[in-house]
Amino acid sequence: MRNNINGDFSIVEKISELKPGAFIIINWNEIKLMLPYSLRKDYISFTDKKWDWRYQFNKDGSADIINPSLFELLPSGEVKAHLCQSQHKSSNL
């Protein structure tokens, strides 16, 4: 994840440091995605309206960074969920 304030592309060390203009780069199953941060009320989302990477909130209000979800909008209009697990379990994000 990177914040993009004035083109500085700074690395996000903690998910609480996300700013408007942030984006995430995902390499998954030979697919490379660069998804912009999308402000949402119920979860943290990065989406380009075809792909949506989400972090749900835990009961304590913190982001569940270990079990993100990737949703794909198919041409038929169907939404396909891809469940994921972070490779970096000790991440500060």
Side-chain angles (χ1 to χ4, degrees):
M1 280 182 257
R2 294 191 177 265
N3 281 323
N4 185 19
I5 304 296
N6 299 321
D8 66 356
F9 302 105
S10 62
I11 294 173
V12 175
E13 298 292 335
K14 294 181 182 175
I15 206 157
S16 61
E17 297 174 350
L18 283 172
K19 307 282 187 223
F23 61 92
I24 192 167
I25 297 173
I26 299 169
N27 293 315
W28 170 74
N29 273 359
E30 299 182 22
I31 296 172
K32 295 183 186 226
L33 303 170
M34 186 172 128
L35 304 174
Y37 179 45
S38 177
L39 299 173
R40 303 284 178 96
K41 178 183 174 190
D42 299 323
Y43 46 85
I44 296 169
S45 174
F46 295 85
T47 185
D48 63 1
K49 299 186 179 166
K50 178 179 179 194
W51 295 96
D52 189 356
W53 178 264
R54 294 181 188 174
Y55 294 102
Q56 298 295 326
F57 290 114
N58 294 313
K59 289 181 183 180
D60 66 0
S62 64
D64 180 0
I65 59 169
I66 303 301
N67 299 299
S69 298
L70 180 63
F71 296 92
E72 177 183 6
L73 178 61
L74 302 174
S76 66
E78 180 184 352
V79 176
K80 183 176 183 179
H82 304 278
L83 299 178
C84 308
Q85 187 174 33
S86 174
Q87 291 180 345
H88 304 287
K89 294 183 184 205
S90 64
S91 174
N92 290 331
L93 293 177

